[in-house]
Amino acid sequence: MIRLVVADIDNTLVPKHQDVSVRTRNDIKQMQKEGILFGLASGRSVDQLHTLEKQWDIKCDVLIGLNGSQLYDGISNYTKMYYTMQPQWIKQALDIMRPFDCNPNLERNGIYYVGKMDQKTLASQKYLKKNHDSILVQNEEEFYQAPAPKIGFRIKEEDWPAIQKRLQQFKMEGYTAFRTEYTMLEFCNKNASKGSLLQKFCQDHQIDLNDVAAFGDMTNDISMLEIVGMSVCLLNGSDDAKAASKYITDYDVNHEGFADFVEKNIL
């Protein structure tokens, strides 16, 4: 009996920068009607996830934000930040990525700092209906003037093999790096993970992890896919996420793989 379903958003629940489908929304509400809790686990902040809740007309019982740095517990009604990147780690991440044509981005206290105001940055703002809180960084020091939950880099997919080699040349004490999309690399506190905060939420509410279903598609989802009873990777997911999952959907995210799996195996 599944008691909780948690899903990554981009390229898992919905195609990148698209709204949840009517079918998926109805499945979420039907699960909750039958007593199954539902939550989102994302690289976005909890504030951004609350924005998506309103846009999609859903209400989540748990939100895991910033790749496992931030937790919203809808049952106990609190939000807490657990992990951050220290300024010196952010500076080193910028040094690591310096040889590559990439766009750094970082959120601090609700303000979004970006290296380039490119089309993908504007598309993200539009998706979240935000157009006033992004700052185009003029001096790189603005990125590491204070701690932040994470720093991300929009990369070219063809650069990934070279980026992997460069990452191996640096000793990253206290933090780690992983892809959250094929064209996004993020640096986070090494203690932050979707799995750790999912485990905390379940412990707080006496939910056995064997009774949890988790859906993901990329490396940053593996920590939760490895600990639950029903781990599901989308057909379009990365090889490492598929290897960590017990199930792979019959359809990809563009053909509502999440909804199809839920209807066949949970509802």
Side-chain angles (χ1 to χ4, degrees), residues 100-250:
F100 305 101
D101 180 15
C102 56
N103 187 10
N105 57 87
L106 174 152
E107 178 188 355
R108 183 186 293 115
N109 299 326
I111 304 297
Y112 302 90
Y113 299 82
V114 296
K116 305 173 187 175
M117 197 63 71
D118 58 15
Q119 290 300 314
K120 290 183 178 179
T121 300
L122 294 172
S124 182
Q125 285 186 346
K126 183 178 180 181
Y127 180 57
L128 292 163
K129 296 181 169 52
K130 294 179 179 292
N131 56 15
H132 61 280
D133 55 0
S134 288
I135 293 177
L136 183 62
V137 170
Q138 304 298 322
N139 187 321
E140 188 180 273
E141 293 182 3
E142 294 178 61
F143 282 118
Y144 52 86
Q145 61 186 325
K150 65 174 185 174
I151 182 168
F153 295 83
R154 183 68 62 183
I155 63 174
K156 295 180 179 179
E157 189 171 352
E158 59 267 26
D159 287 341
W160 177 236
I163 292 172
Q164 282 183 298
K165 290 182 180 179
R166 185 161 173 82
L167 288 171
Q168 294 170 1
Q169 299 171 12
F170 289 81
K171 189 174 182 180
M172 295 185 288
E173 294 185 356
Y175 68 102
T176 188
F178 44 74
R179 281 198 298 179
T180 58
E181 301 172 25
Y182 288 109
T183 58
M184 177 63 77
L185 178 70
E186 298 190 357
F187 292 77
C188 300
N189 186 304
K190 69 177 182 180
N191 293 312
S193 74
K194 294 181 179 182
S196 64
L197 292 193
L198 173 59
Q199 189 170 22
K200 173 175 173 44
F201 176 82
C202 289
Q203 288 174 343
D204 289 348
H205 299 289
Q206 294 77 53
I207 298 172
D208 192 318
L209 286 167
N210 286 321
D211 299 332
V212 177
F215 292 76
D217 74 303
M218 288 297 293
T219 305
N220 63 321
D221 300 316
I222 291 175
S223 62
M224 66 176 183
L225 294 172
E226 289 179 331
I227 64 172
V228 300
M230 180 179 281
S231 52
V232 189
C233 184
L234 269 287
L235 183 62
N236 51 274
S238 62
D239 290 341
D240 56 351
K242 288 179 179 176
S245 301
K246 296 177 182 176
Y247 304 93
I248 299 173
T249 60
D250 292 331

Side-chain angles (χ1 to χ4, degrees), residues 43-62:
R44 292 188 173 87
S45 68
V46 164
D47 282 346
Q48 291 176 327
L49 297 180
H50 282 314
T51 297
L52 292 178
E53 281 183 296
K54 294 176 182 178
Q55 290 177 197
W56 296 348
D57 186 29
I58 63 172
K59 178 60 179 174
C60 293
D61 302 289
V62 57

